[in-house]
Amino acid sequence: MADTKYIFVTGGVSSSLGKGIIAASLAKLLQARGFKTTIQKLDPYINVDPGTLNPYEHGECYVTDDGAETDLDLGHYERFLNVNTSQANNVTTGRIYQSVIEKERRGEFLGKTVQVVPHITNEIKERIQILGQNDEYDIVITEIGGTVGDIESLPYIEAVRQLKWELGDDNALVIHLTLVPYLSAAGELKTKPTQHSVKTLMESGIKADILVCRTEHELSDDIRRKLAIFCNVRQEAVIQSIDAPTIYDVPNMMLKEGLDTVTLKKLALPDDSTPNLERWNQFLKRHKNPKAEVHIGLIGKYVELQDSYKSILESFIHAGAENEVYVNVEYIHSEFINDSTIHNKISHLDGVLVAPGFGERGIEGKIDAVRYARENGLPFLGICLGMQMAVIEFARNVLQLKGANSTEMDGKTKHPVIDLMEEQKEVTHKGGTMRLGAWDCKLQEGSIIHGVYETDLIQERHRHRYEYNNKYKEQLENAGMLSTGINPETGLVEVIELKDHPWFVGVQYHPEYRSTVANPHPLFVSFVRAAHEHAEKVKNAKMAQN
């Protein structure tokens, strides 16, 4: 197919309605019909990327193979489509303005006054069309962050208006996601907020082609008719998006509502196939019908906001379905773990995951949790900072290196078992200066990790600045903490595991960024299996006592 088609997803009434999930679900349906589809996210904030944002406000920062620090919605795109995203799939206002200002400084606009229109809007249009340039994709779905009417979103909305006009009727469409709230006092759903939202969009010169209405109650035909008339869309283009038990139900719900059919019709694309969702539905069946349950403690310091660990939680869903077990994740704030609370918080668990993070807050609680898992044979997975905590705990309590630490937490530690690489020591900027993106890792034969991947060389995504200090490698290995994954270029340790423990693995990389519905990450699958085996062992021991 020669011309790439473009779909724009905007949001109104309220934020957090799930534009990313709707975009990913539509992309899944189009992909399941054989169309090559990708999704990008345009974010209206002025940060160049989400790497420097607070996880409490923004959720996790997702990292792509090419080292882009991106919005967590890109994680949904990859998990749904099983296709890698890149730098081009996430664009922020910061990046747009940075690029335009650099062009101005280079003299590319000599004699011109640089303005929002046309210069900023042209840059946005360029970024939107990058993914469609090589005929690699039949359809590009672009999600516009924020809510229509926000000051920050205006240049994006204007760029979409221009693009829609330039591309022509059959080549672009706008899906507007809104809220239809239920007023319990009146006992009815209200359409007025949606009407106002569509009106705001029209004031910017954009007519919504499809309305997706987030709702807690079924939309009646009367309400659909009312929305169609007042919002200037056809009735079949009023799509209901009711609350779902899991985000993985949404593609099937959108299929039932006919979102893909309406989309194809409006883009003048053939609608002569049915989406092949066989693998997807097999996953859903396993996910919804587990044969057992495991309790895994997620030890972190941003646990108040689950989006801070979004990819980890989704990886547990994928790995749980693969093992046909329900993974009950218990959030444990590392600041509240100490000698007097640890038994209460951890002894009933089947496994412990110590999560990634930055800074010294809550560190000692993480170290205590590692110690408990190590001494009690509890399956343990440490990711990034979690792996570093395992090294510090082992150095302190097994090697008896008093005050062993990371120089991130204690710049004056006598035993910097975790330290900055030489090339990081001169870095003063925080944004985009870590070890980022996909790096090779060579695995040691006969190790737990080699058994997990069943291969010698793997590639995983990184996002960190501090590293395992190789000066302590010999001491650590002699005492039983093995380095079983090494970066072949730098010689840096990527994986540690314990010799005499049922399942204890720490990884410097982020396996959660690679887990998808179609390919659950083997490390999570193996960890969940180990937790299940532990649970069975404990259960059998209790039965034997009785």
Side-chain angles (χ1 to χ4, degrees):
M1 193 172 70
D3 293 332
T4 302
K5 309 273 186 174
Y6 292 86
I7 297 169
F8 302 102
V9 182
T10 59
V13 183
S14 161
S15 58
S16 303
L17 292 181
K19 287 193 299 287
I21 301 297
I22 292 296
S25 298
L26 174 58
K28 182 77 223 167
L29 293 177
L30 296 170
Q31 184 195 53
R33 284 170 173 266
F35 294 101
K36 295 197 290 292
T37 310
T38 189
I39 320 176
Q40 67 177 172
K41 172 90 184 269
L42 305 183
D43 268 314
Y45 50 74
I46 295 173
N47 302 63
V48 170
D49 58 47
T52 53
L53 287 175
N54 184 344
Y56 282 127
E57 283 179 30
H58 198 81
E60 75 173 10
C61 171
Y62 186 81
V63 177
T64 58
D65 269 0
D66 62 352
E69 292 178 282
T70 71
D71 185 81
L72 62 78
D73 274 339
L74 268 74
H76 291 312
Y77 307 162
E78 290 203 7
R79 286 188 283 273
F80 275 55
L81 297 180
N82 201 34
V83 172
N84 284 345
T85 54
S86 70
Q87 187 88 50
N89 293 76
N90 192 199
V91 179
T92 66
T93 295
R95 204 173 283 283
I96 295 286
Y97 272 84
Q98 192 181 44
S99 174
V100 170
I101 289 166
E102 280 170 3
K103 285 178 181 174
E104 187 273 334
R105 294 288 83 188
R106 286 199 301 268
E108 289 186 28
F109 308 123
L110 279 182
K112 298 258 186 357
T113 305
V114 180
Q115 293 173 290
V116 173
V117 181
H119 300 97
I120 297 296
T121 48
N122 283 351
E123 185 77 23
I124 293 168
K125 287 193 291 184
E126 225 172 273
R127 298 299 179 109
I128 288 170
Q129 292 178 97
I130 279 174
L131 289 165
Q133 271 167 3
N134 307 326
D135 290 338
E136 200 180 324
Y137 299 107
D138 304 323
I139 299 163
V140 175
I141 299 177
T142 301
E143 178 196 340
I144 314 280
T147 308
V148 166
D150 293 350
I151 275 183
E152 297 100 326
S153 301
L154 287 173
Y156 291 102
I157 297 297
E158 171 58 18
V160 169
R161 183 197 68 76
Q162 291 180 21
L163 255 183
K164 209 172 172 237
W165 180 77
E166 287 165 18
L167 292 165
D169 284 348
D170 294 343
N171 294 318
L173 69 83
V174 172
I175 296 173
H176 191 54
L177 179 65
T178 77
L179 179 67
V180 179
Y182 180 78
L183 289 190
S184 47
E188 59 182 357
L189 290 163
K190 290 292 180 188
T191 63
K192 194 61 77 181
T194 295
Q195 292 178 44
H196 280 304
S197 183
V198 169
K199 187 181 168 194
T200 305
L201 197 58
M202 289 185 83
E203 282 169 0
S204 303
I206 293 176
K207 175 188 170 298
D209 299 290
I210 298 172
L211 275 188
V212 176
C213 304
R214 286 286 282 117
T215 174
E216 294 171 22
H217 298 266
E218 297 278 337
L219 297 183
S220 65
D221 281 346
D222 282 351
I223 284 182
R224 288 180 194 247
R225 204 172 298 116
K226 188 176 176 183
L227 283 166
I229 290 167
F230 285 110
C231 298
N232 221 5
V233 298
R234 301 189 72 85
Q235 196 169 325
E236 75 251 27
V238 177
I239 305 289
Q240 164 186 292
S241 174
I242 203 159
D243 291 356
T246 157
I247 57 169
Y248 299 109
D249 284 321
V250 180
N252 281 314
M253 289 160 67
M254 291 302 104
L255 177 66
K256 194 174 158 208
E257 283 287 307
L259 177 60
D260 54 331
T261 305
V262 178
T263 299
L264 292 172
K265 197 169 159 187
K266 288 198 172 289
L267 292 175
L269 288 170
D271 178 17
D272 50 8
S273 60
T274 48
N276 177 4
L277 292 171
E278 198 181 327
R279 270 182 85 179
W280 187 270
N281 289 329
Q282 279 172 359
F283 154 76
L284 265 178
K285 193 177 165 190
R286 287 197 306 271
H287 171 51
K288 290 184 173 187
N289 300 288
K291 293 176 179 168
E293 183 175 352
V294 295
H295 292 261
I296 288 176
L298 191 156
I299 320 282
K301 53 183 177 178
Y302 311 117
V303 293
E304 297 90 338
L305 182 71
Q306 292 182 14
D307 273 3
S308 305
Y309 303 112
K310 194 69 188 163
S311 293
I312 289 174
L313 299 179
E314 299 307 319
S315 300
F316 276 134
I317 290 174
H318 309 153
E322 189 73 8
N323 283 294
E324 296 188 89
V325 300
Y326 173 68
V327 181
N328 187 338
V329 178
E330 288 187 32
Y331 305 95
I332 302 169
H333 202 303
S334 56
E335 275 191 290
F336 304 135
I337 296 177
N338 52 48
D339 289 346
S340 58
T341 62
I342 192 155
H343 185 78
N344 250 356
K345 289 189 180 291
I346 296 185
S347 59
H348 63 286
L349 297 171
D350 306 313
V352 166
L353 182 144
V354 175
F358 292 91
E360 61 189 301
R361 185 171 63 88
I363 286 305
E364 294 304 322
K366 287 189 174 187
I367 291 170
D368 289 344
V370 175
R371 180 172 191 168
Y372 189 95
R374 177 178 63 79
E375 291 180 346
N376 292 280
L378 202 56
F380 168 85
L381 176 59
I383 295 178
C384 198
L385 184 70
M387 173 264 209
Q388 297 176 358
M389 294 302 102
V391 175
I392 292 167
E393 187 279 326
F394 196 84
R396 283 184 190 178
N397 299 318
V398 178
L399 290 180
Q400 298 296 314
L401 299 176
K402 201 166 179 276
N405 214 329
S406 163
T407 48
E408 181 183 6
M409 322 309 163
D410 177 6
K412 296 192 171 85
T413 175
K414 273 197 351 207
H415 297 291
V417 288
I418 305 293
D419 198 7
L420 277 178
M421 292 187 295
E422 280 307 313
E423 60 265 33
Q424 284 285 353
K425 289 184 178 170
E426 304 306 315
V427 172
T428 53
H429 279 45
K430 288 277 185 250
T433 53
M434 291 181 276
R435 183 143 80 96
L436 288 163
W439 290 67
D440 287 343
C441 175
K442 193 167 183 349
L443 305 181
Q444 189 179 309
E445 277 190 49
S447 61
I448 295 175
I449 200 82
H450 193 278
V452 165
Y453 286 93
E454 297 179 339
T455 183
D456 295 340
L457 192 70
I458 58 165
Q459 219 185 40
E460 291 283 1
R461 298 177 192 178
H462 293 66
R463 182 176 183 250
H464 61 98
R465 187 170 273 115
Y466 291 80
E467 302 279 358
Y468 177 109
N469 188 344
N470 280 345
K471 287 175 189 164
Y472 291 89
K473 188 173 166 200
E474 198 178 329
Q475 263 176 291
L476 287 160
E477 290 214 299
N478 290 342
M481 178 169 270
L482 309 176
S483 313
T484 53
I486 308 278
N487 178 279
E489 277 172 57
T490 59
L492 291 166
V493 173
E494 301 271 3
V495 186
I496 55 102
E497 54 188 71
L498 291 184
K499 209 163 35 181
D500 306 314
H501 191 286
W503 205 97
F504 188 106
V505 176
V507 294
Q508 183 60 82
Y509 51 80
H510 288 263
E512 71 273 22
Y513 293 149
R514 284 249 164 139
S515 190
T516 68
V517 169
N519 286 312
H521 197 286
L523 197 51
F524 279 89
V525 173
S526 179
F527 177 49
V528 170
R529 190 184 305 123
H532 183 223
E533 284 165 5
H534 177 84
E536 290 297 305
K537 203 166 90 181
V538 170
K539 192 169 80 179
N540 293 339
K542 276 183 185 165
M543 281 163 69
Q545 279 174 355
N546 297 336

